[in-house]
Amino acid sequence: MTKTRQDLAWQELEIGATLITPGNSCEYKSGDWRSIRPVVDNKKCVRCGTCYIFCPDAAIHETEEGFFEADLYYCKGCGICANECPTQAIEMVEEEE
Amino acid sequence: MEIVESTNVYAYKLITKKDYFAPGHRACQGCAEALAVRLVAKALGRNVIVASATGCMEIISSPMPFTSWRVPWIHVAFENAAAVASGAEAGMKVLMRKGRVPKRKITFLAMAGDGGTSDIGVQALSGALERGHDFIYICYDNEAYMNTGIQRSSSTPYGASTTTSPAGKVIPGQITWKKNMPEIAVAHNIPYVATACPSYPIDLVEKVNKAARVKGPAYIHILSVCPTGWRLAPELSIRAGRLAVETGVFPLYEVEYGRYRFTEEYLKIQGRFRHLSEEMIDTIQKRVVEEYEKLEKKIKMTEGD
Amino acid sequence: MGKRIGLEVSLSAAEAVKMANVDCIAAYPITPQTHIVEHLSELVNDGELDAEFIPVESEHSAMSVSAGASAVGARAFTCTSSQGLSLMNEIVHIVASMRLPVVMILANRSMSGPISIWNDHTDVMSIRDCGWIQVFANNGQEVFDHVLFGYKVAESQGVMLPLIINIDGFILTHVIEPIEFWEKEQVEQYLPDFEPIHTLHPDRPVTMGGVGMPYVFSEAKVAQDEPLKQSKSVIISAWKELGDIVGRYYSPIETYRSGDAETLFITQGSYGETVSLVVDELRDEGKSVGLVMDRLWRPFPFDEFREATGQTRNLIIIDRAISYGGQGGPLAIDIRSALYKEKNQPNITNFICGLAGRDVTIDDFKNIYHKAMQKVKKHPREEDFEYYGVRGK
């Protein structure tokens, strides 16, 4: 895990404050921003991958069965996937408190 | 303009599943610019060195100690992405020549927003294009200074209300027309210039791949819808990009060594056209342009009906 | 011993860059720096130096290209003057924070306006706090030696900071001096290949130049300043090693007839050699005068100054730059601050002179000495300064 913001002493920074763990932003839970979340109806899904390719947050992945599901750790709930789905298989539903 | 995506939705599965632009970045909900970056990163793969200008994409992808980049990436300042990429490209070239770094193909990518490209970075870009560095420059055009709070740039379209071109009682928003940045790139006589939009992911990926294959400078201008700055619901950002292209507001085209053409991917992807010679493609291209111009004239003639 | 030839200092500087086997040279022409880059482009185009010469469209891009080149692990060189330095200012600061060991020759020239092409130190003083190691060269030989020294220090593992070699425009850049070249073997012995710690390469992806949010910015700054302060020991040992190889020994400050002197001149850059002649003449007249020349400007050699000036009654500090609205020139301000806690504080007089290449002759320096002595008699503790030789004062 990357050291959190409060922990880093100046001596622990890499030279030039270079970041040496590629892609460690995946530790950051951007899913906390979400107020609505996508729910996929696999009966309607034609497994085209439209939702996957248009997700700005790389938060949709293909399951072993070839369906697609959102990774709620990252999904910000923008609704692009539901809006672009050619078979309207995705519905955005309110997050419950 | 007919675009490939409508012909085969399953084509999306052909694009690599690997993401070199990692999730957990801090872009706004529905940011089509982040999507464009994700697609460009997919297209270029791991053998790339990226020089980024200051701007939305820099801020959202590199808040220390986190980075969304799985490829080597450097940010120095706002107006100099093209110059930093020039230095990286030249430096790597000489290191490989001197045998200090093993020889291999590495793509150099400079990226900036419309402010970092058509305003403050235009000089560094022009210099790098003129010097002929072997690199790709991508302008992610969201049509204003979104990172600083939606101020107008020279790429903001006529009529748009921004925080420095507000729709006032006397002046109705932006009163200048969008600077034609791709044309400025073309004027440098570089091998490849293209426009793209993440609403057409396969077209975008193809163009980035083509730019990477080109020897010398390549310029791609990507319309990147910004739901925050465009006052648009986040789920509509892909649709808005599509509309910009379909209505001709933002035409997709390529200029190879000064030769203009609408995107030929439409023909390329279909087996029934695969046999066509360059001449036949040119004939079709010419006809498409003629028909398009005729259509434009008809639209003009019937305006106000 | 290397061959000794008469050569314009700018050309010899370029020859030293060639000896350092620099990989990437990015520069934009500005007087009085031009002869250096002209000669470098000749060396590259004649195949004498295997490097990329990038004729950028501005100094801003010169420093940006150098940053990009250094970040992939190439040895980068650039040089500029005054307005060019101002234009690249933004990137000068960033290169230091990114710890990219670029070496730059600054052919010192006054800052506009009014526009002037002639020599003073207003350019370098405008970036005093940019985080680079900064040295002054007093003559052509020092310029040559310090190019090789520059890369050795800048690229040291514990340092990894960019370095500026200040050389007085025209006074040094455009004069012919006898220069002793190094032998190839001496360079190989002294200057190892550049071994960067992190570079941009697909096999080891790193992110350089991320966003410093408030919770990490101060830590990043301390992580930058500490190695600059600590670089002094590397600098001193690099000078020692240089001396052992070529027989010329350098130090953060140079002293001349200063040991018993009641009054010390303090100079930076090529004025040191002129003032040493003044010291001789004043000594002949029976005056107890010496000279301290500052070679290392950043990190500032506080201890060396305290030691050299501790027993002195009067200091005459010659500045060639202005701190507008401040207490005299930048050199005087730092020296005052260095001596603040000393028990026997000397009287400090400060003269700003030689702006934009106005001649300051031996007689002028003598005149400065007499003025200083009068000032000290009248107001021993007055921390004033004077623009020397300005009409109307």
Side-chain angles (χ1 to χ4, degrees):
Chain A
M1 283 288 285
T2 304
K3 277 213 168 191
T4 56
R5 52 173 71 175
Q6 288 84 2
D7 295 339
L8 273 171
W10 70 261
Q11 294 92 340
E12 293 176 284
L13 290 172
E14 284 296 319
I15 189 161
T18 298
L19 305 174
I20 59 165
T21 316
N24 65 351
S25 70
C26 61
E27 294 172 25
Y28 178 76
K29 194 177 179 185
S30 55
D32 281 347
W33 301 12
R34 194 177 56 244
S35 60
I36 49 174
R37 75 188 146 93
V39 175
V40 188
D41 180 356
N42 281 353
K43 281 189 213 113
K44 288 188 192 166
C45 175
V46 294
R47 297 187 274 189
C48 64
T50 301
C51 55
Y52 162 79
I53 207 69
F54 283 123
C55 178
D57 294 291
I60 294 177
H61 62 267
E62 194 175 1
T63 64
E64 278 179 20
E65 297 79 39
F67 292 107
F68 289 86
E69 63 181 23
D71 187 338
L72 296 180
Y73 192 82
Y74 303 119
C75 172
K76 294 169 186 163
C78 68
I80 284 177
C81 53
N83 205 59
E84 294 303 317
C85 177
T87 60
Q88 286 84 48
I90 305 173
E91 193 191 348
M92 299 304 290
V93 301
E94 293 282 330
E95 286 287 351
E96 284 158 27
E97 286 303 316
Chain B
M1 265 160 283
E2 192 60 39
I3 304 295
V4 56
E5 267 74 8
S6 58
T7 63
N8 185 347
V9 286
Y10 294 96
Y12 296 144
K13 290 195 155 184
L14 300 174
I15 297 177
T16 177
K17 288 283 185 303
K18 281 190 185 150
D19 274 305
Y20 295 90
F21 183 61
H25 62 70
R26 322 288 173 99
C28 301
Q29 283 139 321
C31 174
E33 187 172 351
L35 173 60
V37 171
R38 178 180 169 230
L39 293 170
V40 168
K42 274 178 182 292
L44 293 174
R46 63 182 292 269
N47 284 317
V48 65
I49 292 175
V50 185
S52 173
T54 310
C56 285
M57 291 304 103
E58 168 257 338
I59 295 281
I60 60 104
S61 69
S62 71
M64 284 186 221
F66 295 106
T67 175
S68 296
W69 293 95
R70 290 173 173 149
V71 291
W73 181 92
I74 182 171
H75 156 253
V76 177
F78 193 3
E79 65 283 64
N80 67 350
V84 175
S86 300
E89 183 258 1
M92 198 55 96
K93 189 159 72 179
V94 67
L95 288 176
M96 286 185 185
R97 189 167 71 224
K98 287 179 169 177
R100 296 223 302 279
V101 172
K103 277 190 182 163
R104 77 197 252 184
K105 162 82 178 161
I106 296 174
T107 302
F108 294 87
L109 169 69
M111 54 179 265
D114 49 294
T117 302
S118 55
D119 288 345
I120 199 167
V122 77
Q123 174 177 321
L125 171 59
S126 176
L129 296 180
E130 172 272 322
R131 291 190 301 269
H133 293 277
D134 190 9
F135 81 121
I136 308 173
Y137 188 100
I138 291 184
C139 170
Y140 298 103
D141 179 6
N142 58 19
E143 302 197 317
Y145 291 90
M146 299 310 183
N147 190 37
T148 44
I150 323 172
Q151 293 84 14
R152 66 83 72 181
S153 77
S154 62
S155 201
T156 302
Y158 176 84
S161 178
T162 70
T163 55
T164 52
S165 65
K169 287 177 185 146
V170 180
I171 301 172
Q174 176 94 338
I175 53 165
T176 52
W177 291 90
K178 185 180 177 73
K179 189 188 272 188
N180 193 336
M181 199 56 221
E183 264 315 292
I184 293 171
V186 169
H188 288 76
N189 286 319
I190 57 172
Y192 185 71
V193 175
T195 62
C197 175
S199 302
Y200 301 89
I202 291 178
D203 177 66
L204 187 151
V205 165
E206 282 291 318
K207 283 169 176 166
V208 174
N209 283 335
K210 197 185 264 188
R213 284 197 300 271
V214 159
K215 184 96 184 106
Y219 176 89
I220 305 179
H221 196 98
I222 300 181
L223 184 73
S224 308
V225 175
C226 169
T228 309
W230 292 22
R231 316 289 194 209
L232 186 80
E235 70 269 20
L236 295 180
S237 58
I238 304 303
R239 188 165 163 231
R242 199 176 289 127
L243 286 171
V245 173
E246 285 174 355
T247 56
V249 168
F250 187 84
L252 298 187
Y253 62 95
E254 292 172 292
V255 188
E256 289 180 64
Y257 295 98
R259 205 164 57 128
Y260 286 73
R261 57 176 58 194
F262 288 120
T263 306
E264 65 178 56
E265 301 308 317
Y266 173 67
L267 300 175
K268 265 192 172 172
I269 200 161
Q270 302 175 56
R272 61 181 175 151
F273 292 129
R274 208 157 279 160
H275 60 285
L276 295 185
S277 66
E278 281 286 303
E279 289 75 35
M280 289 173 79
I281 292 173
D282 283 348
T283 309
I284 295 172
Q285 173 74 27
K286 219 173 147 193
R287 175 69 180 235
V288 169
V289 174
E290 278 170 18
E291 290 299 322
Y292 189 77
E293 281 170 355
K294 266 192 235 165
L295 179 64
E296 275 181 327
K297 274 182 198 153
K298 283 176 194 162
I299 292 169
K300 257 185 213 147
M301 276 164 58
T302 54
E303 250 169 10
D305 279 5
Chain C
M1 208 165 101
K3 63 181 171 176
R4 193 175 158 92
I5 54 171
L7 195 64
E8 191 190 87
V9 172
S10 286
L11 304 197
S12 71
E15 292 288 337
V17 171
K18 176 188 144 190
M19 293 214 93
N21 193 18
V22 160
D23 299 311
C24 193
I25 300 148
Y28 185 84
I30 181 167
T31 304
Q33 150 266 36
T34 41
H35 292 186
I36 301 173
V37 279
E38 284 169 9
H39 193 54
L40 278 168
S41 66
E42 270 172 27
L43 292 173
V44 171
N45 284 8
D46 288 341
E48 286 187 42
L49 169 60
D50 186 6
E52 289 292 307
F53 184 88
I54 301 161
V56 283
E57 81 298 330
S58 72
E59 287 89 354
H60 194 281
S61 283
M63 191 49 70
S64 302
V65 164
S66 300
S70 188
V72 297
R75 184 171 281 170
F77 175 82
T78 187
C79 59
T80 192
S81 298
S82 73
Q83 304 314 113
L85 181 70
S86 274
L87 187 56
M88 66 166 66
N89 177 298
E90 179 195 23
I91 313 304
V92 169
H93 288 252
I94 298 171
V95 162
S97 81
M98 295 179 85
R99 309 282 297 277
L100 299 171
V102 176
V103 169
M104 168 160 70
I105 289 182
L106 189 59
N108 300 120
R109 159 182 157 178
S110 50
M111 294 283 301
S112 293
I115 189 168
S116 153
I117 59 166
W118 291 280
N119 164 246
D120 61 35
H121 294 164
T122 49
D123 57 1
V124 57
M125 294 307 165
S126 75
I127 53 147
R128 184 190 63 185
D129 298 332
C130 67
W132 288 46
I133 296 170
Q134 301 176 43
V135 295
F136 279 87
N138 292 342
N139 58 47
Q141 186 65 59
E142 291 192 13
V143 175
F144 191 100
D145 293 345
H146 279 79
V147 169
L148 299 160
F149 159 88
Y151 284 107
K152 185 175 178 74
V153 170
E155 295 170 359
S156 292
Q157 292 293 300
V159 178
M160 286 293 167
L161 282 166
L163 185 145
I164 291 171
I165 303 158
N166 288 286
I167 76 176
D168 283 323
F170 295 111
I171 296 175
L172 283 182
T173 54
H174 285 53
V175 298
I176 295 171
E177 288 191 13
I179 308 286
E180 187 183 297
F181 277 50
W182 292 31
E183 298 289 355
K184 198 163 170 280
E185 297 71 37
Q186 292 175 317
V187 176
E188 281 165 7
Q189 187 190 343
Y190 183 68
L191 181 62
D193 281 347
F194 176 26
E195 298 287 350
I197 293 169
H198 299 300
T199 60
L200 297 170
H201 192 280
D203 287 348
R204 301 169 303 278
V206 294
T207 291
M208 294 182 176
V211 182
M213 306 296 274
Y215 55 78
V216 73
F217 190 89
S218 302
E219 280 71 19
K221 290 285 105 178
V222 172
Q224 177 190 339
D225 192 31
E226 280 300 320
L228 179 60
K229 285 192 267 186
Q230 287 160 20
S231 70
K232 207 174 93 184
S233 60
V234 177
I235 289 166
I236 288 167
S237 65
W239 271 328
K240 167 81 169 56
E241 210 179 313
L242 188 152
D244 291 346
I245 291 172
V246 297
R248 287 177 293 276
Y249 289 89
Y250 298 107
S251 52
I253 58 169
E254 299 274 314
T255 54
Y256 182 72
R257 302 182 81 167
S258 67
D260 61 338
E262 274 182 26
T263 302
L264 285 176
F265 276 99
I266 299 182
T267 63
Q268 276 177 323
S270 61
Y271 275 16
E273 299 208 339
T274 314
V275 175
S276 68
L277 302 173
V278 176
V279 167
D280 287 342
E281 290 193 17
L282 288 170
R283 284 269 179 179
D284 289 348
E285 293 170 21
K287 309 278 194 274
S288 175
V289 186
L291 165 66
V292 176
M293 291 172 271
D294 176 47
R295 179 172 289 109
L296 182 62
W297 174 229
R298 283 294 181 274
F300 191 72
F302 285 99
D303 294 337
E304 285 79 355
F305 264 108
R306 287 186 193 116
E307 200 180 321
T309 60
Q311 304 305 317
T312 312
R313 199 180 296 166
N314 311 305
L315 299 184
I316 304 169
I317 303 172
I318 307 297
D319 260 297
R320 309 202 51 211
I322 303 166
S323 172
Y324 298 103
Q327 267 191 335
L331 183 59
I333 290 170
D334 267 6
I335 290 172
R336 268 197 213 103
S337 157
L339 302 178
Y340 179 69
K341 281 187 180 170
E342 296 301 290
K343 284 202 184 90
N344 303 310
Q345 286 191 6
N347 302 307
I348 294 177
T349 51
N350 180 207
F351 293 84
I352 292 172
C353 61
L355 295 180
R358 186 178 289 190
D359 279 341
V360 186
T361 62
I362 288 179
D363 284 344
D364 286 319
F365 281 115
K366 280 186 177 171
N367 196 15
I368 285 172
Y369 170 78
H370 294 302
K371 273 176 170 268
M373 293 305 104
Q374 282 166 14
K375 275 175 187 263
V376 167
K377 258 183 222 154
K378 273 195 220 152
H379 311 284
R381 286 283 156 192
E382 190 179 339
E383 297 198 335
D384 202 357
F385 68 97
E386 179 178 331
Y387 288 100
Y388 175 77
V390 173
R391 292 180 296 277
K393 280 242 173 183

